[in-house]
Amino acid sequence: MSKAIEIIRAEHRALAAVLSALQSYVDGLVDGTYETDFELLGAMIQYITELPDRVHHPKEDDYLFAALRQRSPEAEAIIDELQDEHRLGYGKWEALNQALVHYRGAGPSGLGAFQQAVKAYFEFEWQHISKEETRIVPLARTALLPEDWARIDAAFSSNDNPWEGEAGKYRQLFTRIVNLAPPPIGVGQGGRA
């Protein structure tokens, strides 16, 4: 398997883990299992919004999608769709941030709207990841040549991936989330109702 595909899948798994944790935590806020921890919510939102926009999507757009456009005309439509989603992502995470700001200001009455914003973001990212895994990766495996993979692998290998980049910024943020989140989401002590 290509090094780039391994990295893409690792980034997807890390993102999916935090997305799932966020949704579980917010569901627990709604049902009274947890108490609101705005530091934890902020860290989770930072992770799920920064990682794709700063680390993941630029490498896909500039290397994987660019090579696939050259080798596979049938990939055009799905690549256009995914790149549109990359551009739409900013508005989606901005809406999520605004929902958190509103929740912080409104208190418990803002929780329902925040839960809906989390659900919308979760569904958007989940279907996006699914398209990349089920449609782009198989196309890339069949259409790309060894020299394409060499360039793509080099780009992704130098990627500031979620575990090692920017002096471990995303690894540290992930660890912070795990340490803040209450069991069974994380290992933190706070946030239990």
Side-chain angles (χ1 to χ4, degrees):
M1 182 183 332
S2 141
K3 181 70 174 166
I5 290 175
E6 290 175 21
I7 292 169
I8 288 168
R9 287 191 166 151
E11 290 172 356
H12 284 169
R13 283 191 305 272
L15 182 58
V18 178
L19 281 165
S20 295
L22 175 61
Q23 185 163 338
S24 294
Y25 181 68
V26 172
D27 289 347
L29 295 175
V30 170
D31 72 18
T33 302
Y34 306 122
E35 293 178 7
T36 303
D37 181 336
F38 287 108
E39 180 184 358
L40 172 59
L41 290 170
M44 289 174 153
I45 290 172
Q46 179 185 1
Y47 191 92
I48 65 173
T49 58
E50 276 188 19
L51 178 66
D53 282 350
R54 293 188 180 175
V55 174
H56 187 75
H57 294 159
K59 298 290 181 165
E60 288 176 335
D61 290 340
D62 296 343
Y63 296 94
L64 179 63
F65 295 173
L68 198 49
R69 276 188 195 280
Q70 291 178 341
R71 304 283 186 212
S72 177
E74 68 197 67
E76 285 287 326
I78 188 64
I79 291 171
D80 288 345
E81 189 177 323
L82 289 167
Q83 288 185 314
D84 285 346
E85 290 173 5
H86 287 179
R87 287 186 288 277
L88 289 172
Y90 178 81
K92 300 280 186 189
W93 72 257
E94 187 60 33
L96 185 58
N97 278 323
Q98 289 303 313
L100 179 61
V101 168
H102 173 73
Y103 175 33
R104 186 184 291 250
S109 67
L111 179 56
F114 181 66
Q115 182 186 32
Q116 289 306 310
V118 168
K119 181 179 180 191
Y121 192 84
F122 179 89
E123 289 171 359
F124 172 78
E125 281 295 331
W126 198 256
Q127 62 82 25
H128 180 80
I129 289 169
S130 177
K131 284 180 201 173
E132 290 179 351
E133 295 270 346
T134 62
R135 297 183 64 195
I136 289 295
V137 169
L139 279 170
R141 281 190 168 145
T142 60
L144 297 181
L145 302 175
E147 58 267 25
D148 299 323
W149 283 116
R151 283 189 301 278
I152 295 165
D153 286 349
F156 274 90
S157 292
S158 70
N159 201 4
D160 287 335
N161 75 53
W163 308 116
E164 297 172 5
E166 296 180 344
K169 175 182 179 178
Y170 295 105
R171 180 182 56 234
Q172 291 169 2
L173 185 55
F174 189 90
T175 300
R176 182 169 160 235
I177 290 166
V178 170
N179 286 329
L180 287 171
I185 296 168
V187 298
Q189 299 303 311
R192 286 291 210 191

